[in-house]
C-alpha cells in the first residue's frame, strides 16, 4: 500500500498547482468555464490524457496520478469539464475507443459520463438525463445503453441533431450541469458494458477533488485567522477558533490518507477497491463539506457575502458530496461489503 | 531474509511464544520479564533501534511487518511500554553514550522497567510549572518533591525525571532531566486506584533522593527541550498503537460488536458503518505517518493529531458499544464495563485533547499563540497549581 506521493507525483502536483495559480486564480473562477484555460491545461500539461493509455496518445498513468491532478483542480475550484472528462476517460479505459481516447488525450474532446441507462437501437439513442455534469461544455456523452441483446456503452455527439440541452442553474456557479434529452440522437456503440469498477473509480476521483477543496478551504481560513483581529487579538489565538481549525486539520489528514489508499487500491488492489471507494466517499465527502462549512463560518459576515470566495468552496463541497448520489448510498454499500 | 520471510518467521515465533492466557497488564511480572527476554533474544525488541546500543538496526518496514503479525496476538508487554515508547527513545536521542550503553540494552530485554516522572499534583498540562526540586551538591543532585499519575512506577527500576533546578528564571528555562533510581530509599511509590478500579498509576514521593550527575540527560536547565523530545515520542507511540483492523480482544471493535448485536436493524448497521469509517480513517492516517517516517519525513507535531483522533475514537467506540449492547454492558465482568471505564484515560494521559488541539493549532497550522503571562516571569513569582 502506498500512501505517500512519489517524487514524480510531487512534481506533477507542483506543475499543476503553479499552472492553475497563474492561469485560473480564484477571483477568476466565479466567471465560470474558460475554454482557453482548459485547452492550455490539456495542451501544456497534457492533463486530459493523464489516464489515457499510451497507445492512444495518453500518459498511461493511474488513478494515483489522476488523484493528484484532481486534488489541485479541486483546490483551485477549476470550472469546466475536467472532472467530467476524467469520468468519461475512466469509463473509456474499460471500453477502449481509439477515436475518443485519442481525442481526449489531445485535448480536442471534452466528454462527460452518465450512469443513467439509455435505450439504443444500434445507431440512435433515446432518454432523458435530468442532470449531466458539464453537459453544456462537453462534446461527447458516454453512457450505458440497453439494446435488444444486452447492455452496451455508447458515445453520443452532444452537438448532433436529436439532442437538446438546457443549462441548469446550479448551486455551484463554478461548474455547470445540463438537462439532456436524446430523441433518436445518433450514437456509436463502443462495446459491451464492463461488469464493474467504473463507479468505484468515480468515487475515488471525486474524493480526490474533495480533498483539494477541503485543503484549500482550510488554508484560506488558517491564513485569515492569522490576520483578522477581534478584541485586540488575532482570532486564530482564540481556542474557540483554534480548536475548530485543529479538528479540521485532523479531518484533512485522515481524508488524504483515505484518498491515497483508495487511489492505490484502484491501481494495484482491485479486491480492496469497492470498500476503499465507498469509504472514500463516505468519509471524504462529509469531511469536505464540514470543513468548507466551518471555514465559511469562521470568516464571519464577510464569509456570507457573494463577493467573498468562501461560498464557492461551500457550494462546491455540497455539490460534490451529492454528485454521485445521496451519501447514504456509500454507507449502505459499506454495510453490504462488511456483511453487516 | 526478504520482508515476506521476515514476516513468516515473526508469525512462527509469535505462535510459539505468545501464550493464550497472556494479558497486556503486568498480572505476572515474572512471566512478562521472561517473555521480554525471549522477545529480545529472538530479535523483536527495538527492531529499528541502533544495533550499537542493542537494537536490531532494521527499518520501519520490518517493524511494521512485525506489528502486522503481532496484532493477532496479545503480548504481556504493557509494563515495558513507557520505556519502549518514551523514555528509551529519549535516552537514545538526548543521552550520552555512557547512558545509552548502560540503559538501552537492559530496557529492550525487559531486565529493567521504566517510568516517566513528569506530572505533578500542580502541573499536568502545564508540566513546565512543576515544583519538584533538584539541587546540586558536588557531583550529584538531591531531589525533593512529588509526582503523580506515574504509570508503571510500582514496577519501575528507573524513572525519567523532570525537576526544577532554577527558580530565578522563567519556568521553561529552569528544568533539568534526570534518570532516577526508583530503588533509592528516598523514593516512595504509592499506587493510585484509577476509575477502572485498577492501580496502573501511582503517586511518587522524593525525599532527599540523590542522583549522580552522570544520570543527567541533556544540559542543566535545558530539561524542557528534552521533555519535548519525550512528549513527541509519547504521542507517536500512543497513536501508533492502532493497527489496520483486527483489534484482538477489544470488546468494542466492529468484529466483537457484530457478534454481540442484532445487525438486521438498519440503525445498528449504520452505527457500525460509522465505527468502521472512523477506525479505518485513523488506521490509514497512522500508516501514512509510518510511511512518511520511513521516507525520512518526521511527523513531529502532526503526531498530536493522531493522538487526538485515537482519544476521540476510543471514547466514541466504548460509548457506542455500550449503547448497542445495552444493560448487560454496565455490569461488572462484562468486558465493555471495563472498556467504558478505561476510555477516558486516552484523552488525558499523554496530554489532554485540548492540549493536542493547542499543539496542532500552534505548531502544525502556525496560528498565533494565546497571550501568556507565564513566559517571562521568574518561576518563583508565578502562580501555579490549584489556587482559590
Ligand atoms: C491513564 C493516565 C496515565 C498517565 N501516565 C502518566 C505518566 O506515566 N507520567 C506522567 O508524567 N504523567 C502521566 N499522566 C498525567 C497526564 O499527562 C496528565 O493528567 C495530563 O497531562 C493532564 O494534566 P492534569 O491532570 O494536571 O490536568 P490539568 O492540566 O489541570 O487540566 C484540567 C483541564 O484543563 C484543560 N486545560 C489545561 N490547560 C489548558 C489550555 N492551555 N488550554 C485549554 N485547556 C486546558 C485540560 O485539557 C483539562 O481538561 C497520566 C494520566 C492518565 C490519565
Amino acid at each position: 500500500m502506498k500512501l505517500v506521493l512519489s517524487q514524480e507525483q510531487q512534481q506533477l502536483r507542483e506543475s499543476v498547482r503553479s499552472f492553475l495559480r497563474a492561469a485560473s486564480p480564484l477571483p477568476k473562477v466565479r466567471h465560470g468555464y474558460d475554454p482557453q484555460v482548459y485547452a492550455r491545461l490539456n495542451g501544456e500539461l497534457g492533463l486530459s490524457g493523464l489516464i489515457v493509455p499510451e497507445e492512444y496518445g495518453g500518459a498511461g498513468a493511474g488513478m494515483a496520478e489522476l488523484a493528484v491532478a484532481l486534488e489541485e483542480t479541486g483546490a483551485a475550484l477549476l470550472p469546466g469539464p475536467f472532472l467530467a472528462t476524467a469520468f468519461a476517460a475512466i469509463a473509456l479505459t474499460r471500453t477502449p475507443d481509439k477515436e475518443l481516447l485519442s481525442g481526449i488525450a489531445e485535448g480536442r474532446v471534452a466528454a462527460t459520463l452518465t450512469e443513467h441507462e439509455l435505450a439504443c437501437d444500434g445507431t440512435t439513442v433515446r432518454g432523458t438525463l435530468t442532470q449531466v455534469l458539464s453537459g453544456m461544455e462537453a462534446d461527447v456523452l458516454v453512457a450505458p445503453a440497453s439494446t435488444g441483446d444486452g447492455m452496451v456503452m455508447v458515445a453520443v455527439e452532444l452537438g448532433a441533431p436529436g439532442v437538446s440541452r438546457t443549462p441548469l442553474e446550479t448551486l455551484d456557479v463554478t461548474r455547470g450541469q445540463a438537462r439532456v434529452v436524446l430523441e433518436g440522437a445518433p450514437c456509436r456503440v463502443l462495446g459491451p458494458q464492463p461488469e464493474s469498477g467504473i463507479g468505484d473509480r468515480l468515487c475515488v476521483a471525486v474524493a480526490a477533488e474533495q480533498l483539494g477543496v477541503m485543503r484549500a478551504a482550510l488554508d484560506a481560513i488558517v491564513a485569515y485567522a492569522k490576520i483578522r483581529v477581534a478584541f485586540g487579538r488575532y482570532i486564530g489565538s482564540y481556542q474557540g477558533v483554534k480548536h475548530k481549525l485543529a479538528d479540521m486539520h485532523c479531518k484533512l489528514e485522515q481524508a488524504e490518507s483515505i484518498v491515497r489508499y483508495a487511489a492505490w487500491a484502484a491501481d494495484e488492489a482491485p479486491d480492496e477497491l469497492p470498500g476503499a471507494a465507498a469509504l472514500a466517499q463516505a468519509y471524504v465527502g462529509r469531511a469536505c463539506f464540514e470543513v468548507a462549512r466551518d471555514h465559511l463560518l469562521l470568516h464571519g459576515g464577510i464569509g456570507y457575502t457573494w463577493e467573498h470566495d468562501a461560498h464557492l468552496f461551500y457550494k462546491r463541497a455540497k455539490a460534490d458530496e451529492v454528485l454521485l448520489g445521496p451519501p447514504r448510498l456509500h454507507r449502505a454499500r459499506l454495510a453490504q461489503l462488511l456483511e453487516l | 531474509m526478504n520482508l515476506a520471510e521476515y514476516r513468516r518467521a515473526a508469525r512462527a515465533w509469535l505462535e510459539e511464544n505468545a501464550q493464550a492466557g497472556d494479558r497486556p497488564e503486568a498480572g505476572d511480572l515474572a512471566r512478562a520479564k521472561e517473555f521480554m527476554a525471549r522477545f529480545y533474544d529472538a530479535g523483536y525488541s527495538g527492531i529499528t533501534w541502533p544495533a550499537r546500543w542493542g537494537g536490531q538496526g532494521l527499518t520501519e518496514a520490518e517493524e511494521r511487518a512485525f506489528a502486522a503479525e503481532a496484532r493477532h496476538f496479545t503480548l504481556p508487554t504493557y509494563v515495558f511500554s513507557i520505556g519502549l515508547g518514551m523514555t528509551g527513545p529519549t535516552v537514545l536521542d538526548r543521552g550520552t553514550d555512557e547512558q545509552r550503553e548502560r540503559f538501552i540494552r537492559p530496557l529492550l530485554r525487559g531486565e529493567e522497567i521504566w517510568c516517566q516522572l513528569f506530572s505533578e499534583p500542580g502541573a499536568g498540562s502545564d508540566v513546565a510549572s512543576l515544583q519538584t526540586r533538584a539541587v546540586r551538591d558536588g557531583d550529584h543532585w538531591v531531589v525533593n518533591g512529588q509526582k503523580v499519575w506515574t504509570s508503571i512506577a510500582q514496577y519501575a527500576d528507573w524513572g525519567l525525571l523532570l525537576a526544577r533546578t532554577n527558580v530565578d528564571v522563567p519556568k521553561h528555562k529552569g528544568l533539568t532531566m534526570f534518570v532516577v533510581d526508583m530503588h533509592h530509599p528516598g523514593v516512595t511509590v504509592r499506587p493510585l486506584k484509577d476509575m477502572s478500579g485498577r492501580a496502573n498509576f501511582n503517586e511518587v514521593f522524593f525525599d532527599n533522593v540523590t542522583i549522580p550527575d552522570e544520570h543527567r540527560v541533556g544540559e542543566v536547565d535545558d530539561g524542557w527541550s528534552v521533555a519535548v523530545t519525550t512528549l513527541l515520542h509519547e504521542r507517536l507511540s500512543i497513536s501508533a498503537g492502532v493497527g489496520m483492523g483486527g483489534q484482538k480482544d477489544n470488546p468494542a471493535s466492529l468484529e466483537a460488536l457484530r457478534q454481540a448485536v442484532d445487525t438486521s436493524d438498519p440503525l445498528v448497521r449504520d452505527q457500525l458503518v460509522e465505527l468502521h469509517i472512523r477506525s479505518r480513517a485513523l488506521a490509514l492516517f497512522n500508516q501514512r505517518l509510518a510511511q512518511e517516517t520511513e521516507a525520512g519525513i518526521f511527523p513531529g507535531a502532526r503526531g498530536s493529531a493522531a493522538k487526538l483522533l485515537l482519544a476521540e475514537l476510543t471514547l466514541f467506540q466504548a460509548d457506542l458499544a455500550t449503547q448497542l449492547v445495552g444493560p448487560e454492558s454496565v455490569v461488572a465482568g462484562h468486558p465493555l464495563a471495563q472498556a467504558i471505564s478505561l476510555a477516558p484515560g486516552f484523552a488525558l494521559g499523554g496530554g489532554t485533547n485540548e492540549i493536542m488541539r493547542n499543539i496542532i493549532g500552534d505548531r502544525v497550522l502556525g496560528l498565533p499563540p494565546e497571550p501568556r503571562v507565564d513566559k517571562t516571569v521568574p518561576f518563583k513569582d508565578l502562580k501555579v497549581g490549584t489556587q482559590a
Side-chain angles (χ1 to χ4, degrees):
Chain A
M1 174 183 317
K2 262 207 86 226
L3 303 176
V4 182
L5 295 184
S6 69
Q7 213 130 50
E8 294 77 40
Q9 289 166 344
Q10 288 175 35
Q11 278 159 11
L12 172 66
R13 169 158 76 183
E14 213 25 68
S15 63
V16 180
R17 188 176 287 179
S18 53
F19 172 84
L20 290 172
R21 200 183 294 134
S24 185
L26 218 40
K28 195 167 177 296
V29 304
R30 62 175 65 223
H31 305 303
Y33 176 43
D34 178 348
Q36 268 185 330
V37 171
Y38 190 69
R40 287 182 53 208
L41 189 73
N42 298 333
E44 291 168 31
L45 299 181
L47 272 204
S48 59
L50 202 54
I51 59 163
V52 173
E54 287 173 34
E55 55 185 307
Y56 305 109
M63 285 299 291
E65 285 74 26
L66 180 62
V68 168
L70 282 168
E71 191 182 329
E72 294 310 315
T73 56
L77 298 178
L78 178 71
F82 185 71
L83 181 70
T85 305
F87 278 6
I90 285 169
L92 289 167
T93 52
R94 311 227 110 203
T95 315
D97 177 77
K98 185 163 190 305
E99 189 186 319
L100 280 177
L101 282 170
S102 53
I104 289 173
E106 287 162 26
R108 276 187 289 111
V109 175
T112 187
L113 177 75
T114 179
E115 294 190 277
H116 189 92
E117 187 181 312
L118 304 176
C120 174
D121 64 8
T123 53
T124 65
V125 279
R126 305 194 157 270
T128 299
L129 304 171
T130 51
Q131 281 177 270
V132 176
L133 185 69
S134 301
M136 295 309 290
E137 295 84 5
D139 306 302
V140 178
L141 170 75
V142 177
S146 59
T147 64
D149 46 14
M151 293 294 297
V152 294
M153 295 299 285
V154 298
V156 184
E157 294 283 340
L158 289 173
V163 180
S164 62
R165 293 193 272 184
T166 321
L168 300 176
E169 195 181 316
T170 47
L171 173 73
D172 177 6
V173 297
T174 63
R175 189 158 59 206
Q177 300 185 4
R179 176 184 161 88
V180 177
V181 180
L182 305 164
E183 285 168 319
C187 75
R188 207 150 55 73
V189 175
L190 306 174
Q193 186 188 28
E195 299 258 297
S196 68
I198 295 178
D200 289 337
R201 285 178 172 79
L202 303 188
C203 287
V204 180
V206 175
E209 171 168 303
Q210 287 162 329
L211 175 62
V213 172
M214 76 194 271
R215 184 189 304 286
L218 179 58
D219 284 350
I221 186 57
V222 166
Y224 189 62
K226 292 179 185 176
I227 57 168
R228 175 70 179 171
V229 173
F231 302 96
R233 282 164 60 180
Y234 292 115
I235 58 167
S237 71
Y238 289 102
Q239 289 191 350
V241 174
K242 181 176 289 181
H243 287 189
K244 206 164 233 172
L245 295 174
D247 286 335
M248 290 155 77
H249 170 78
C250 287
K251 286 176 187 166
L252 180 69
E253 290 274 27
Q254 296 197 131
E256 173 166 356
S257 310
I258 290 173
V259 167
R260 301 274 174 262
Y261 165 63
W264 169 84
D267 292 334
E268 310 284 345
D271 292 356
E272 291 185 43
L273 177 58
L279 174 70
Q281 272 313 297
Y283 184 83
V284 185
R286 184 89 286 253
C288 176
F289 179 69
E290 288 171 351
V291 167
R293 175 198 64 202
D294 291 341
H295 125 279
L296 184 143
L297 293 173
L298 291 172
H299 273 96
I302 193 78
Y304 191 64
T305 61
W306 185 261
E307 272 311 296
H308 198 275
D309 295 327
H311 72 102
L312 303 180
F313 287 94
Y314 177 87
K315 291 170 179 173
R316 173 70 75 91
K318 180 44 78 182
D320 273 359
E321 187 187 18
V322 299
L323 183 62
L324 300 174
R328 67 182 156 75
L329 296 182
H330 309 296
R331 298 175 70 94
R333 181 103 194 282
L334 279 175
Q336 182 205 339
L337 291 165
L338 292 166
E339 294 173 10
L340 288 172
Chain B
M1 190 172 354
N2 67 29
L3 212 56
E5 285 162 4
Y6 182 88
R7 191 162 168 165
R8 263 196 303 281
R11 172 150 214 142
W13 188 88
L14 285 162
E15 269 163 3
E16 192 157 319
N17 291 277
Q19 288 178 8
D22 279 342
R23 314 292 320 152
E25 303 84 21
D28 177 354
L29 202 57
R31 159 69 190 149
K33 288 194 155 195
E34 175 258 350
F35 173 85
M36 202 60 190
R38 272 192 286 135
F39 191 64
Y40 178 81
D41 295 342
Y44 298 122
S45 180
I47 292 172
T48 60
W49 297 32
R52 180 171 173 208
W53 309 119
Q56 298 300 319
L58 299 173
T59 68
E60 285 279 334
E62 281 85 8
E63 175 121 304
R64 276 194 291 124
F66 184 83
E69 287 305 327
R71 229 163 268 134
H72 307 292
F73 300 87
T74 301
L75 308 179
T77 51
Y78 173 72
V79 290
F80 309 108
S81 59
I82 303 281
L84 293 169
M86 300 146 209
T87 64
T90 306
V91 171
L92 272 184
D93 283 358
R94 304 296 300 270
T96 61
D97 279 358
E98 289 71 30
Q99 289 167 352
R100 297 181 178 120
E101 179 70 42
R102 166 63 190 85
F103 293 122
I104 298 300
R105 195 179 307 262
L107 183 160
L108 286 176
R109 207 164 178 270
E111 288 158 13
E112 293 178 342
I113 294 174
W114 283 69
C115 64
Q116 176 178 322
L117 299 151
F118 287 15
S119 303
E120 297 184 2
S125 301
D126 180 16
V127 73
S129 70
L130 60 82
Q131 300 179 68
T132 294
R133 286 297 308 267
V135 177
R136 190 158 197 156
D137 181 10
D139 59 0
H140 62 268
W141 297 79
V142 180
V143 178
N144 283 285
Q146 182 196 345
K147 297 287 173 179
V148 72
W149 325 127
T150 318
S151 305
I152 306 174
Q154 71 271 44
Y155 309 110
D157 301 292
W158 298 103
L160 189 70
L161 169 74
L162 189 61
R164 183 156 311 278
T165 41
N166 189 345
V167 295
D168 297 318
V169 290
K171 63 180 185 179
H172 291 94
K173 302 201 168 125
L175 300 168
T176 304
M177 191 72 84
F178 300 95
V179 174
V180 61
D181 178 359
M182 294 297 285
H183 301 296
H184 189 285
V187 176
T188 307
V189 177
R190 265 196 225 140
L192 266 178
K193 221 186 211 191
D194 68 26
M195 65 176 277
S196 75
R198 305 183 313 184
N200 276 335
F201 58 24
N202 305 267
E203 293 178 289
V204 181
F205 299 88
F206 298 90
D207 181 13
N208 286 322
V209 173
T210 50
I211 301 177
D213 191 51
E214 301 96 85
H215 286 182
R216 170 167 50 79
V217 182
E219 297 305 313
V220 175
D221 291 348
D222 190 32
W224 182 248
S225 83
V226 183
V228 168
T229 309
T230 312
L231 295 172
L232 277 176
H233 283 294
E234 174 163 32
R235 273 138 212 173
L236 287 169
S237 82
I238 291 175
S239 57
V242 174
M244 297 289 285
Q247 296 187 58
K248 190 175 180 291
D249 299 327
N250 182 348
S253 71
L254 181 59
E255 287 320 307
L257 288 174
R258 74 155 83 223
Q259 307 302 328
V261 301
D262 174 14
T263 56
S264 67
D265 179 339
L267 292 178
V268 171
R269 273 209 304 279
D270 196 58
Q271 286 180 311
L272 292 179
V273 164
E274 181 65 20
L275 175 59
H276 168 78
I277 292 170
R278 292 177 62 163
S279 313
R280 282 296 279 162
L282 177 55
L284 287 164
F285 176 34
N286 275 313
Q287 282 232 322
R288 190 167 125 252
L289 286 179
Q291 290 190 14
E292 286 183 9
T293 310
E294 203 181 330
I297 311 164
F298 187 62
R302 283 167 65 219
S304 290
K307 155 57 168 103
L308 169 60
L309 287 162
L310 175 63
E312 294 209 312
L313 177 61
T314 305
L315 285 168
F316 166 76
Q317 188 165 10
D319 183 19
L320 174 68
T322 45
Q323 290 189 42
L324 289 174
V325 168
E328 65 195 81
S329 68
V330 294
V331 175
H334 195 287
L336 284 174
Q338 180 83 336
I340 193 75
S341 281
L342 290 174
F346 285 88
L348 298 169
T352 67
N353 289 1
E354 287 73 31
I355 296 302
M356 293 306 111
R357 290 188 175 96
N358 283 345
I359 292 173
I360 295 163
D362 293 351
R363 315 263 169 79
V364 181
L365 301 177
L367 293 168
E370 285 179 84
R372 303 246 321 232
V373 291
D374 60 341
K375 281 216 147 168
T376 47
V377 188
F379 179 73
K380 60 180 190 308
D381 302 328
L382 201 64
K383 198 181 210 182
V384 295
T386 311
Q387 304 188 0

